[in-house]
Amino acid sequence: MTVHNVFVITKNTFKETIRDRILYGLVAFGALFILLDLFLAKLSLGDMVMIKSFGLAGVYLIGTIITVFLGASIIYREVEKRTLYFVLSKPASYGDVILGKFFGLYGAAILTVLLMAAVYLGVVLYQGGGFDARGFVAILYQLLEAGFFVALLTFLSAISTPLTSTIAAALILFSGHFMSTAVENVKRIGGFTKTFIDAAYYLLPNLEKFNVRNVVVHHVPLSLEPFILSAAYAAFYAAVLLYFAYAFLKRKEL
Amino acid sequence: MYGRRAVVDGVSLVIEKNKVFGFLGQNGAGKTTAMKMMVGLLRPDAGSVSIAGRSVLESETREIIGFMPEAPYFYERLTGFEFLKFCGDLFPRHRKKTGAEYEALLKKVGIFEAKDAPIRNYSKGMKQRLGFAQSLVNDPEYVFLDEPLDGLDPIGRREIKEIIKLLKQEGRTIFLNSHILYDTEELCDEVGVIHKGKLLYAGSVKDFCSGKPLEDQFIATVEAHNK
């Protein structure tokens, strides 16, 4: 595996990804969705908490949809369309491919999230809320989650079809965000349900670690430590998923 | 092995330098699988492939080979030039290749005018030529071409054949899979005939044909094996 080849594949994947016309449509839709915040601002009589909550939720929701759209077939397409032949018959390894695809797709996901974040920050500024630096912190946490999510999609697309990858990613995303709430709730129920939910809680990633949207809009103090821990958590999960993606791809019959 | 079936079984080939070797066989005979093993895309369950005395699985060996897959698919949103540069950049020894060098290669295969157009707008023949160009991007000593004349019109076929002849003149070794026997006869010094994964013949075209057309001899060889 060489850093140079990873970089070459990253650049190629990024270029390919951001030239997708459907992506432009999705980003435009996302921007419009966030602009709805202007309408909401009127309804809520300029309530900044409402405006920021809706805006940040919009950036998260559309950003996640775009990431799934871009990533659900990232490796599958390479195998099915046999474009991998061009890469692997050259001095490039399976590891180069997995990492290059991951970083290229992650770069595209970061770009689209930042574009929508710019619209969000513009809306808050227009509504007299100034530069929402705390909102930007929530976006940074979202980018950490996106890193995990892109790695998950890279892994899923190496082992299954785009439809299966999309469904599995959506389920993991859902459970990742609701498992901590579920753990609290099953404490009262107990028995097998509690054991099952506890096991799932430890097996599945806890994506609530990346959700600080409520914290930032309600002005709860922020510190650097949880951010560093969340970054390490995302990096660990991403590394494990990418390793498995590599192992599965290597065993695949080309 | 594919399941319990050996797709390529006991194939032993030694190809001399600076020869054009044609690998002939029916659809599903094992030509493409054998070629994929030769360029390191597949690992044989048993046996090995060596090029210039080194295993093809070594990264250094892939520095000196070029491979064009059959009916290639591309990154459709890239331009022809970008794709070629992407392929070139994967070779450590060719990273410093200039734009002019890539353009010269595109001129060589006859798609220079379309260099800045997205590949999705290319015709089948243009894609075939681009696939051919990327196999030469590292100036390889050994060129593997899987059905290089497929999908080309007669003029395109003639042009590609001229390039193959030129590559031989430049001292390269060419291994090509083909089912267009007329062209193979014209291009190749040696042929191998593969049928149901087994090698039926490997040697000079002259000896194989013994004065008869290659196509007749090929059919006779395969039918004799089927009896």
Side-chain angles (χ1 to χ4, degrees):
Chain A
M1 200 163 72
T2 68
V3 175
H4 179 84
N5 279 349
V6 172
F7 175 71
V8 170
I9 298 168
T10 297
K11 207 167 74 172
N12 187 55
T13 306
F14 180 78
K15 221 185 264 184
E16 256 273 295
T17 308
I18 59 162
R19 287 183 187 171
D20 193 328
R21 284 180 192 162
I22 302 170
L23 173 69
Y24 300 154
L26 283 170
V27 172
F29 173 75
L32 279 175
F33 186 83
I34 296 159
L35 283 173
L36 275 180
D37 225 5
L38 293 171
F39 176 67
L40 189 77
K42 283 209 165 109
L43 283 181
S44 64
L45 304 172
D47 178 4
M48 228 8 116
V49 170
M50 192 75 99
I51 294 168
K52 288 180 180 176
S53 298
F54 182 84
L56 288 173
V59 174
Y60 176 74
L61 188 71
I62 306 293
T64 305
I65 291 171
I66 289 176
T67 308
V68 174
F69 163 74
L70 296 177
S73 61
I74 186 97
I75 300 295
Y76 179 84
R77 204 173 45 217
E78 289 275 339
V79 177
E80 282 302 297
K81 291 205 159 187
R82 294 176 283 153
T83 38
L84 265 187
Y85 288 2
F86 290 123
V87 181
L88 292 173
S89 60
K90 298 182 171 51
S93 68
Y94 286 87
D96 295 336
V97 171
I98 291 292
L99 284 180
K101 287 274 143 193
F102 167 76
F103 284 120
L105 181 60
Y106 191 29
I110 288 173
L111 181 69
T112 54
V113 169
L114 289 181
L115 280 174
M116 285 183 295
V119 178
Y120 162 76
L121 293 171
V123 167
V124 174
L125 196 68
Y126 180 74
Q127 291 299 320
F131 176 70
D132 186 13
R134 290 174 62 86
F136 194 70
V137 171
I139 303 285
L140 290 180
Y141 270 92
Q142 181 183 334
L143 292 179
L144 292 181
E145 182 177 334
F148 157 78
F149 203 48
V150 169
L152 175 70
L153 287 163
T154 307
F155 165 69
L156 290 171
S157 69
I159 62 166
S160 62
T161 62
L163 181 64
T164 317
S165 299
T166 305
I167 294 168
L171 287 173
I172 292 170
L173 192 74
F174 179 80
S175 54
H177 277 290
F178 291 94
M179 208 47 85
S180 42
T181 317
V183 165
E184 285 305 311
N185 290 336
V186 292
K187 275 182 186 163
R188 276 171 274 158
I189 302 169
F192 174 75
T193 313
K194 185 181 177 309
T195 315
F196 178 75
I197 294 291
D198 281 348
Y201 176 74
Y202 288 109
L203 271 175
L204 292 167
N206 179 6
L207 299 181
E208 275 302 287
K209 282 189 185 299
F210 307 108
N211 181 8
V212 292
R213 286 181 287 279
N214 279 334
V215 174
V216 301
V217 296
H218 291 102
H219 295 280
V220 178
L222 291 162
S223 64
L224 188 62
E225 198 189 333
F227 183 80
I228 293 169
L229 285 176
S230 299
Y233 187 78
F236 170 74
Y237 255 103
V240 171
L241 287 164
L242 292 176
Y243 174 74
F244 281 114
Y246 158 78
F248 275 101
L249 184 64
K250 210 171 174 191
R251 289 168 63 97
K252 223 167 201 144
E253 198 76 39
L254 291 177
Chain B
M1 295 291 286
Y2 190 81
R4 284 185 178 179
R5 193 169 66 91
V7 182
V8 176
D9 188 11
V11 172
S12 180
L13 280 172
V14 176
I15 297 157
E16 282 177 50
K17 243 184 151 178
N18 196 210
K19 296 275 182 199
V20 180
F21 187 94
F23 207 33
L24 316 178
Q26 292 174 282
N27 293 335
K31 303 189 295 289
T32 297
T33 306
M35 190 175 273
K36 282 191 212 167
M37 289 180 200
M38 289 175 200
V39 297
L41 286 173
L42 286 179
R43 281 167 193 253
D45 294 296
S48 62
V49 179
S50 298
I51 295 174
R54 278 200 309 227
S55 165
V56 75
L57 299 173
E58 288 174 31
S59 178
E60 289 78 18
T61 312
R62 274 178 274 158
E63 284 268 6
I64 55 165
I65 66 169
F67 170 57
M68 173 191 165
E70 184 185 4
Y73 281 86
F74 296 88
Y75 300 106
E76 303 266 302
R77 290 180 213 119
L78 299 185
T79 66
F81 182 87
E82 286 172 335
F83 176 71
L84 207 56
K85 183 159 181 357
F86 163 65
C87 291
D89 284 346
L90 289 171
F91 290 95
R93 286 181 210 158
H94 293 267
R95 271 169 207 161
K96 296 213 169 104
K97 228 178 178 116
T98 63
E101 285 175 284
Y102 288 115
E103 286 177 356
L105 194 49
L106 289 166
K107 273 182 194 154
K108 192 173 188 175
V109 297
I111 50 168
F112 173 73
E113 278 71 28
K115 74 182 173 79
D116 295 322
I119 300 172
R120 65 169 175 268
N121 295 343
Y122 281 26
S123 67
K124 194 179 172 193
M126 288 163 83
K127 286 181 181 175
Q128 191 78 351
R129 287 160 189 254
L130 183 61
F132 194 35
Q134 68 77 37
S135 73
L136 304 176
V137 76
N138 56 324
D139 211 9
E141 288 174 47
Y142 303 88
V143 187
F144 292 84
L145 307 168
D146 198 356
E147 303 289 357
L149 304 168
D150 226 20
L152 294 172
D153 55 45
I155 294 168
R157 283 225 312 271
R158 192 182 63 195
E159 285 172 4
I160 296 293
K161 281 193 287 185
E162 290 308 315
I163 298 171
I164 293 173
K165 287 175 191 168
L166 184 70
L167 294 176
K168 180 180 154 64
Q169 279 171 22
E170 289 170 352
R172 300 175 214 265
T173 309
I174 297 129
F175 185 102
L176 59 93
N177 282 350
S178 184
H179 58 250
I180 306 175
L181 300 184
Y182 172 76
D183 293 323
T184 311
E185 191 170 5
E186 182 190 335
L187 285 171
C188 298
D189 305 304
E190 294 180 355
V191 288
V193 177
I194 186 170
H195 183 61
K196 292 179 182 170
K198 291 191 188 299
L199 190 67
L200 302 186
Y201 175 84
S204 80
V205 179
K206 218 181 233 176
D207 290 348
F208 183 64
C209 292
S210 335
K212 291 179 192 163
L214 178 63
E215 188 166 319
D216 293 351
Q217 205 56 13
F218 170 76
I219 293 169
T221 307
V222 169
E223 283 181 348
H225 183 81
N226 283 339
K227 276 175 193 167

